[in-house]
Amino acid sequence: MKWGFRWYGEKGDSIPLNNVRQIPGMNGIVGTLLNKLPGDVWEVNEIQELKDSIEKENLELLGIESVAIHDAIKAGTAERDQYIDNYIQTIKNLSACDVHMICYSFKPIFGWAKTTLNYENEDGSYSLVYDQSVVDNMEPSDMYKLIHSQSKGFKLPGWEEERLKKFNSLMATYEGVTEEKLFENLEYFLTRIIPVCEEMDVKMAIHPDDPPWEIFDLPRITKNLEDLKKILSIVDSPYNGITFCTGSLGADPNNDLVEMVREIGHRINFVHFRNVGFMGERKFKETAHLSTEGSLDMYAIMEALVDVGFEGPIRPDHGRTVWGEVAMPGYGLYDRAMGITYLQGLHEAAVKSKKAN
Ligand SMILES: [Mn+2]
């Protein structure tokens, strides 16, 4: 596995790359260009600049998270072809810079949602929490206000203010887009881009829904094993793969993560590793990464990944905010560093126990 860390760039992240470099066993960064809006072409010189800044610290650019999909593609409007052309150009430009993995999601409007970004745990650390009962009592547009009021001034991925300004027209864009329609639009997109990905050696990795159920009546098509299998069958290619996000899929207790890895592990192109703690019906918090701190069996998941021979990039996903750190909610240095050290330990144990048996 390639051990990675999500990093938002010199201007967008509070954490100096050198600090990431000091985490034991770290191989690289999953990076992004924060100035890019969905639909923009990522130019070679911009990608190269990002790559150079990472390589200067002896780290590798393991992939991009995310190259966002324009709403015209997701909603299937008349302008989609031009944006797919742009996307294809970005794939080619990434390949020209020797970058080979793109994490993306295909979710209308809300990429991820939480209701509390700074929930205080008993030990004084802070977690992100999702509570469906809060969402049930609010308007979709209020979700933006709720998230922004808690972002501590950080620009949060997927909650760009530029999109908020166009919120009503965005909602209108998705009018009539059912789950079936959204799936067809993904099919249209993948059918066009995957042949290019194959040629360019760039692996796509779709991120599951967070939370993995419908919110505000917007369709969701990456919620469970059935959904993911359906997506993988659109184009039967290793380049059409998934981001296995344990915290997203694991928020639904009906999702058996070990079974998922065993069934579709050969198509996992990227792993997000984090734990969640169930607090009630459709209510959960993002805990520390350890199995004992949350509801998921992290060792069993790691063991399954080792068993299926996963060799791609893996990173600790959202952590708590601890030790008084001032950081983007979910993306502090300390708890994610503890998280990756723990998951490297799980990995070593799983590999050695497999050899012993
Ligand atoms: Mn994730």
Side-chain angles (χ1 to χ4, degrees):
M1 294 181 195
K2 293 263 193 181
W3 305 104
F5 212 73
R6 189 175 195 183
W7 183 67
Y8 290 98
E10 271 155 7
K11 293 189 189 98
D13 208 302
S14 56
I15 301 163
L17 259 191
N18 183 255
N19 288 9
V20 178
R21 174 71 188 139
Q22 290 169 358
I23 300 169
M26 187 60 72
N27 298 118
I29 290 295
V30 185
T32 192
L33 296 178
L34 270 190
N35 61 321
K36 291 293 173 187
L37 288 176
D40 290 349
V41 173
W42 294 33
E43 304 297 345
V44 169
N45 65 314
E46 300 170 309
I47 301 164
Q48 196 58 49
E49 198 185 325
L50 171 70
K51 196 170 177 239
D52 290 345
S53 69
I54 290 164
E55 289 178 350
K56 218 166 53 192
E57 287 294 339
N58 289 322
L59 292 164
E60 193 186 329
L61 180 54
L62 299 172
I64 299 297
E65 177 171 357
S66 305
V67 181
I69 314 279
H70 194 276
D71 290 294
I73 299 173
K74 291 186 280 190
T77 67
E79 302 86 51
R80 69 173 155 184
D81 284 310
Q82 126 202 10
Y83 290 113
I84 295 177
D85 290 343
N86 287 358
Y87 210 93
I88 285 174
Q89 192 55 51
T90 297
I91 292 168
K92 290 178 176 170
N93 293 349
L94 285 167
S95 175
C97 296
D98 210 18
V99 180
H100 301 284
M101 190 277 293
I102 297 175
C103 171
Y104 73 105
S105 64
F106 213 80
K107 306 160 192 156
I109 308 182
F110 299 109
W112 58 269
K114 295 288 177 307
T115 48
T116 311
L117 303 186
N118 303 293
Y119 173 87
E120 189 170 358
N121 294 304
E122 279 171 23
D123 61 5
S125 63
Y126 295 91
S127 287
L128 282 78
V129 165
Y130 182 88
D131 183 351
Q132 186 64 40
S133 68
V134 173
V135 174
D136 288 342
N137 289 305
M138 68 197 290
E139 292 299 316
S141 56
D142 293 336
M143 196 72 204
Y144 268 96
K145 287 172 209 148
L146 184 71
I147 295 282
H148 276 282
S149 67
Q150 302 178 64
S151 70
K152 298 195 259 178
F154 288 95
K155 196 169 173 178
L156 298 174
W159 296 92
E160 297 84 5
E161 280 178 70
E162 294 85 344
R163 293 177 79 229
L164 165 64
K165 284 181 201 143
K166 294 183 283 191
F167 187 79
N168 288 336
S169 70
L170 256 184
M171 282 298 274
T173 308
Y174 284 100
E175 209 159 307
V177 178
T178 58
E179 226 173 70
E180 291 72 32
K181 189 78 200 142
L182 186 64
F183 181 79
E184 279 170 30
N185 296 340
L186 175 61
E187 192 169 28
Y188 185 93
F189 172 68
L190 288 176
T191 305
R192 277 207 58 202
I193 68 155
I194 295 298
V196 182
C197 292
E198 288 176 334
E199 195 188 327
M200 296 289 137
D201 190 20
V202 174
K203 288 187 170 165
M204 299 299 292
I206 193 167
H207 191 285
D209 294 307
D210 180 13
W213 51 78
E214 220 172 73
I215 55 171
F216 299 124
D217 294 329
L218 289 161
R220 309 275 250 178
I221 55 170
T222 41
K223 309 176 295 295
N224 49 40
L225 181 59
E226 194 190 343
D227 283 356
L228 295 173
K229 277 180 160 176
K230 204 172 153 193
I231 291 166
L232 295 178
S233 73
I234 294 174
V235 189
D236 189 15
S237 160
Y239 290 86
N240 173 28
I242 62 170
T243 295
F244 192 71
C245 178
T246 61
S248 295
L249 292 164
D252 181 350
N254 296 314
N255 281 335
D256 179 339
L257 300 189
V258 172
E259 181 200 8
M260 283 180 158
V261 174
R262 302 215 185 275
E263 289 253 349
I264 54 174
H266 60 295
R267 299 287 285 278
I268 294 175
N269 288 340
F270 184 26
V271 173
H272 286 179
F273 212 77
R274 71 177 151 91
N275 204 346
V276 287
F278 303 137
M279 300 167 85
E281 178 75 16
R282 297 203 158 177
K283 181 177 180 185
F284 61 90
K285 70 173 171 179
E286 298 185 346
T287 64
H289 295 75
L290 277 68
S291 301
T292 49
E293 300 292 306
S295 302
L296 305 180
D297 183 341
M298 306 310 278
Y299 182 74
I301 299 166
M302 179 58 82
E303 198 178 31
L305 286 167
V306 168
D307 279 346
V308 299
F310 175 73
E311 291 292 343
I314 179 167
R315 69 163 180 80
D317 213 358
H318 316 165
R320 301 162 304 147
T321 302
V322 300
W323 305 337
E325 187 179 13
V326 178
M328 187 190 295
Y331 285 100
L333 172 66
Y334 307 144
D335 205 43
R336 286 188 298 154
M338 288 192 269
I340 192 166
T341 298
Y342 166 69
L343 74 104
Q344 286 164 329
L346 293 182
H347 179 257
E348 184 177 346
V351 168
K352 286 184 175 166
S353 124
K354 193 174 156 73
K355 275 192 194 137
N357 288 319

